[in-house]
Amino acid sequence: MGKARSARPGRRSPPLKRMLPYLALCLGAHLHAAPQIAAERLATLAASPYWIALGHYETGKLGGWRSYVDDADFFLVAQGDSDPQAELQATLQALYAPAAQGDLHPQCRYPARTRWLREQLALTDLPTPTCTEFNAWFADIKPHSTVLVFPAAYLNSPSSMFGHTLLRIDQADVDSHNTALLSYALNFGAYIEGMDNSILYAWKGLMGGYPGLFALVPYREKLAEYSRLENRDLWEYRLNLSAAETGRMVEHVWELRQVRFDYFFFDENCSYRLLELLEIARPGLELTEQFPLTAIPTDTVRAVKQAGLVARTDYRPSRERELLGRAEQLNGAEQDWVLRLAEAPQLTTSIEFQALPAERRALIQDAAFRLVRYRATGEARSGEIASRSFELLRAINGNPPPALALERPGLPEDGHESRTWQLGAGSRDDRAFAEYGLRMAYHDLNDNAYGFPLGAQIELAQLKLRQYEGNHWQLQQLDLATIRSLTPRNRLLKPWSWQVGGGLQRVPGEDGDEVLASHFNGGAGGTWKLGDNALAYALATTRLEHHQDFAAFVAPALGFDSGLLWRNALGNLTLQAKGDYFHNGEVRRSLALDQQWELSRNLGLRFSASRDFSQLSSPENELMLELKWYHY
């Protein structure tokens, strides 16, 4: 949920070494004496929510405190990561170091701590060091207001399949002068050395194998990365933080330069860290405590909105969405012209093209220009691409199209909650059963699709238990992950659809028994739109399975997975036909139908029917009615 690939930040000296210049200066400088604060008062301050937030502390599992910060350089005392009172006492003493230390002074290093302690203890006699570096940095940013930015989910990147969040720090004239591109983006992401592949990145991200770092970079760079390079829609939530609150948050960001945190995809991630910063900006907010297990970006956006922080919401469509929006206005022959002009812009002056009505030519030329720019995404700028773009722009200027009007999709935070409880009842052939399930995250093809792209599925940590007649219990399914990206192909764009999954699953065994088998599967193919609300897909698949009735420890299979997805008036319907043809001769096929009724945003009723075929047993039919409650 956000990553950073940059040069390794330099490590600062350990606290003791960092204090040596102070000690040397103390020999020849008059020292201000730190006030003597009663132990009870210090204990109260150290336990206050704001000091806990400044140190990123949490309650330890065995009691006491521990800090999320995984960097000793952040603390002034060795036990500072577990003793907020000792760190506060050391900070108070350090603030009275000689002012001649300049940028090395603790007040320059910890401006947020300094501000808070000055206010809480009425410290009117503090030294006044000249913090040249901090002051120049702060003046360059000119923090005035804050925008929470949510780049929508991008399934083709494991780091971005849940979406991402970052903060934009705006200057005072951002609206009057339209200077958002001059703002700064505040991002927290995994620091990656080298070029780990997607599978390794996903695994290390799950296991905390990367450190996390804050970065403050020009917003235009992030906008290019998410909206252009990854073709992701952007949602911008202007927060009602005041200039003082925004400035307080930015002061703390200075304290977190090059400071390392542990990074985990599901909880200690980009979104969770930004919630901590918002708690610094506005004391009294309680955002992080809502996410003890997972912090999925859409859920954190919802929490920010429910806290009353959002003043306005803006939407920035991606290049891909803009291209497809323009292409929807064209018929098949006109889209063919788009492809031709993208390759040979000089055809805009041809007799054949000029014979088209001017208003149609305007739309075609605009779509062709957008296609050229889309294809150039992520590639080094070349003379050929620049020449094509120039020729098309010249044609557009001579015959401009009407402004592109895109319908804004549903707000991501208005979609269903992420965790799902499931209660079902059904029969498999002549045996009745009850089924109980829990899915930690977060969406499948039949779920309420409001706020989600049609054809996207991300399920993590799904458990299903069955209770058959006679009180016979069995583990029916344990999915570690099931991810599907069914992106439709068209005349202009031809993306691949794909899926991957793995876990434990009940499959046919010998003598009619069901066997719990471990598996890993994947597939790739194509998806096509059938009208505005239906998709058809066909994937070639492969599967690796460990089955107790197979001679080989791991049996491979090739197969297919095809179906229809239809968003209808009741909810979502899927029809699926799939098959696996194992190397050992086992053939397994199935037909399935699922229809979900959307009772409310977070409540659904799903009917499922399937027929399974296997070489190992006779065909079996299954019917089930299942209640799904989406609750975080």
Side-chain angles (χ1 to χ4, degrees), residues 322-331 334-335 360 363-364 366-367 401-406:
E322 289 177 335
L323 170 60
L324 295 178
R326 185 60 88 191
E328 286 178 356
Q329 301 172 323
L330 306 175
N331 59 38
E334 291 169 336
Q335 290 188 21
R360 306 311 295 174
L363 296 176
I364 294 169
D366 185 56
L404 177 61
L406 294 176

Side-chain angles (χ1 to χ4, degrees), residues 298-299 302 306 411-420 443 447-452 596-605 628-632:
T298 49
D299 293 330
R302 187 180 297 116
Q306 291 174 348
L411 290 166
E413 70 272 17
D414 287 346
H416 65 74
E417 302 277 357
S418 297
R419 191 169 301 146
T420 310
H443 181 76
D447 288 331
N448 188 334
Y450 186 88
F452 295 86
Q596 176 149 323
W597 287 267
E598 296 165 3
L599 304 180
S600 68
R601 180 172 74 94
N602 289 313
L603 195 64
L605 184 65
K628 289 181 172 287
W629 178 39
Y630 303 87
H631 172 71
Y632 186 79

Side-chain angles (χ1 to χ4, degrees), residues 382-550:
S382 67
E384 181 181 359
I385 296 299
S387 176
R388 291 181 189 178
S389 299
F390 178 77
E391 288 293 328
L392 288 169
L393 277 176
R394 185 162 59 181
I396 290 171
N397 288 335
N399 182 18
L404 177 61
L406 294 176
E407 182 181 355
R408 193 173 83 164
L411 290 166
E413 70 272 17
D414 287 346
H416 65 74
E417 302 277 357
S418 297
R419 191 169 301 146
T420 310
W421 298 90
Q422 306 161 37
L423 174 62
S427 65
R428 186 168 182 85
D429 281 345
D430 57 350
R431 295 187 301 160
F433 64 81
E435 185 168 285
Y436 314 91
L438 169 64
R439 183 184 66 192
M440 296 300 292
Y442 106 110
H443 181 76
D444 70 20
L445 297 181
N446 286 96
D447 288 331
N448 188 334
Y450 186 88
F452 295 86
L454 187 66
Q457 174 173 325
I458 306 174
E459 294 186 287
L460 296 174
Q462 178 164 231
L463 171 68
K464 291 187 176 182
L465 299 174
R466 278 194 180 178
Q467 181 185 16
Y468 281 97
E469 293 176 302
N471 202 33
H472 170 67
W473 289 78
Q474 70 179 31
L475 173 62
Q476 187 68 19
Q477 184 176 333
L478 177 60
D479 289 335
L480 300 179
T482 303
I483 303 172
R484 293 181 123 187
S485 177
L486 304 180
T487 307
R489 301 163 70 89
N490 53 64
R491 270 187 168 88
L492 303 185
L493 304 179
K494 301 188 182 300
W496 288 102
S497 294
W498 59 275
Q499 65 184 32
V500 64
L504 301 175
Q505 179 184 24
R506 288 284 170 181
V507 298
E510 294 179 348
D511 302 322
D513 292 335
E514 278 191 302
V515 173
L516 190 64
S518 56
H519 71 95
F520 176 81
N521 67 81
T527 301
W528 298 267
K529 289 189 71 172
L530 304 177
D532 293 334
N533 296 306
L535 300 176
Y537 65 91
L539 309 178
T541 62
T542 183
R543 181 182 177 96
L544 296 175
E545 182 174 296
H546 170 67
H547 191 298
Q548 67 182 40
D549 293 337
F550 290 170

Side-chain angles (χ1 to χ4, degrees), residues 168-243:
R168 194 182 80 210
I169 309 301
D170 285 345
Q171 301 176 359
D173 61 353
V174 65
D175 285 330
S176 60
H177 290 73
N178 194 26
T179 57
L181 292 181
L182 300 181
S183 299
Y184 281 86
L186 177 55
N187 182 68
F188 179 81
Y191 170 73
I192 307 170
E193 292 183 287
M195 296 295 292
D196 289 348
N197 61 52
S198 294
I199 295 177
L200 181 59
Y201 177 80
W203 174 254
K204 292 175 72 172
L206 290 170
M207 297 295 107
Y210 294 116
L213 294 172
F214 281 97
L216 195 65
V217 300
Y219 182 59
R220 61 181 178 273
E221 294 183 8
K222 280 296 174 184
L223 191 64
E225 177 182 343
Y226 289 117
S227 184
R228 304 297 188 255
L229 295 184
E230 294 186 344
N231 288 300
R232 303 166 72 174
D233 291 342
L234 288 181
W235 295 90
E236 298 176 341
Y237 302 86
R238 178 160 295 283
L239 306 183
N240 56 22
L241 297 181
S242 67

